[in-house]
Amino acid sequence: MKLLRHGPKGHERPAALDAQGRVRDLSSLLVDITPAVLTPASLQRLRGVDLASLPEVPQERLGVPWAGMGKFVCIGLNYADHAAEAGMAIPAEPVVFMKPTSAAVGAEHPVVLPIDATKGDWEVELGVVIGSTARCVDEAEALAHVAGYCVVNDVSERALQLERGGTWDKGKGCDTFGPVGPWLVTADEIADPQALDLWLELNGQRVQTGNTRTMVFGVAKLIAYLSRIMTLYPGDLISTGTPPGVGMGMKPPRFLQPGDTMRLGVAGLGEQFQTVHAWNPELVDA
C-alpha cells in the first residue's frame, strides 16, 4: 500500500493510493496513520480493505505520511563515492546522527534556510520506517521489522554542520530540513531495498544519480546495528545516506539559494518537489 496524510497543517487526514493512483480516504477506518497502524497486524488488516469501496478525494497539501514519528535517525557517508567527494574515509562502522522530528515536513513543503545560512545542500535518501520494536536484532531478521519505505531529502547547512563546532546534528536539524514522502510504501511492495534507483534535480538539472546497491551498509545491517545502540519503535525513521552529487562535492561547490527548486525521487516510492526560501517563519509553519 501507498499511505499518505494530506490536508491543512494539524488536520491531516489518512489516505491511500489505489492501483490507478487515485487518493482514497481512510478516515472511516482510521483516525490517523499512527505508529500503531504501522505494526504488522494492523497493516495486514489494511491490506484486506477494498480501496475501490472508499471515497475518492482530491489530494490536498501533503504532510509527513505518518504521525507520531519518535526518532529521525540518519546515516552519514553510507555511499563510498559520496564519502570520496566529501574528502572523507569510508567508515568502518555506520556514522549515526539525528535530526529532530521538528525538521520533518511533507514532500512539497518549502525548504526554508536558517538565518545566516551560507552553505545549504541537498541529499536524496531512502527512508526506512520501523513497524515493530527492534532491540538487539540479528541482520537476518532485521527487515521483518520494517513497515515500509519512503523518500527523504536530508537537507543540510554545511557551515553549521562542519565549520562552526559541535556535532553534525546542528547543520542537519533546522526546521524544514527533513522532507519525507510523498507516501509511505509498505514493505511488501518493495522486493529488494538494495536495488532502488535514487535521483535529484536542482533547477531541472540532474545532479544526483545512484542506486541503493552501492550502500556501504545495507538496510538490514543498519537496522541490526542501530538496534544494538537504541531500541527502534514503530514510527521511527532511518534515513540511510546519499549517493554522490551533493553541492559540497562540486568543483567549485554549489549551495542552495532562495528560489532554487529540488525535484527528487526513489524508484517505487514517488517524487518530492521543494522550493528553497530565505528565512521566513511563516513558511516554516506553512
Side-chain angles (χ1 to χ4, degrees):
M1 299 185 75
K2 295 179 174 68
L3 301 173
L4 63 127
R5 297 168 67 247
H6 67 135
K9 183 175 181 179
H11 300 280
E12 294 88 350
R13 298 188 307 281
L17 290 191
D18 66 16
Q20 289 72 44
R22 295 173 296 205
V23 179
R24 299 287 183 168
D25 186 30
L26 296 178
S27 297
S28 63
L29 305 175
L30 306 171
V31 174
D32 205 346
I33 300 171
T34 64
V37 173
L38 302 181
T39 61
S42 292
L43 287 179
Q44 186 61 34
R45 285 193 293 271
L46 265 184
R47 291 188 192 101
V49 173
D50 177 13
L51 293 180
S53 69
L54 299 176
E56 181 182 354
V57 292
Q59 181 178 293
E60 299 184 59
R61 165 196 172 274
L62 287 168
V64 176
W66 71 101
M69 182 189 302
K71 293 191 284 294
F72 194 154
V73 187
C74 300
I75 307 299
L77 305 176
N78 198 30
Y79 288 73
D81 34 13
H82 171 55
E85 73 174 351
M88 299 180 184
I90 297 172
E93 294 191 25
V95 175
V96 180
F97 62 94
M98 309 286 282
K99 283 182 183 281
T101 57
S102 56
V105 292
E108 297 179 352
H109 195 286
V111 166
V112 183
L113 300 174
I115 295 173
D116 299 328
T118 58
K119 296 183 178 181
D121 209 342
W122 55 85
E123 295 188 8
V124 59
E125 305 198 0
L126 170 65
V128 180
V129 185
I130 298 298
S132 60
T133 301
R135 180 182 292 134
C136 297
V137 302
D138 294 329
E139 186 175 341
E141 64 182 31
L143 293 184
H145 294 271
V146 176
Y149 301 93
C150 60
V151 184
V152 176
N153 189 355
D154 175 16
V155 184
S156 312
E157 212 298 325
R158 301 298 189 188
L160 279 171
Q161 178 191 358
L162 301 171
E163 300 171 13
R164 294 174 57 183
T167 66
W168 282 17
D169 303 45
K170 185 164 65 176
K172 296 281 194 172
C174 304
D175 293 339
T176 76
F177 271 26
V180 178
W183 320 310
L184 187 162
V185 180
T186 54
D188 58 295
E189 293 200 8
I190 303 300
D192 183 358
Q194 303 308 147
L196 302 176
D197 290 330
L198 308 85
W199 56 272
L200 185 146
E201 295 175 352
L202 179 68
N203 300 328
Q205 175 188 359
R206 180 68 62 91
V207 291
Q208 284 191 280
T209 302
N211 189 285
T212 56
R213 66 174 174 268
T214 65
M215 284 183 181
V216 179
F217 307 103
V219 172
K221 186 176 290 293
L222 289 174
I223 293 170
Y225 182 88
L226 290 169
S227 77
R228 285 160 169 75
I229 299 171
M230 64 189 82
T231 302
L232 300 172
Y233 293 104
D236 286 351
L237 173 63
I238 304 169
S239 197
T240 58
T242 197
V246 302
M248 178 178 65
M250 294 182 173
K251 300 188 184 307
R254 181 178 180 181
F255 297 113
L256 293 172
Q257 302 295 324
D260 284 345
T261 61
M262 294 177 283
R263 186 179 298 276
L264 57 147
V266 179
L269 304 182
E271 297 184 6
Q272 298 186 358
F273 180 83
Q274 296 108 30
T275 301
V276 179
H277 297 265
W279 172 250
N280 182 332
E282 292 184 1
L283 289 177
V284 169
D285 294 327

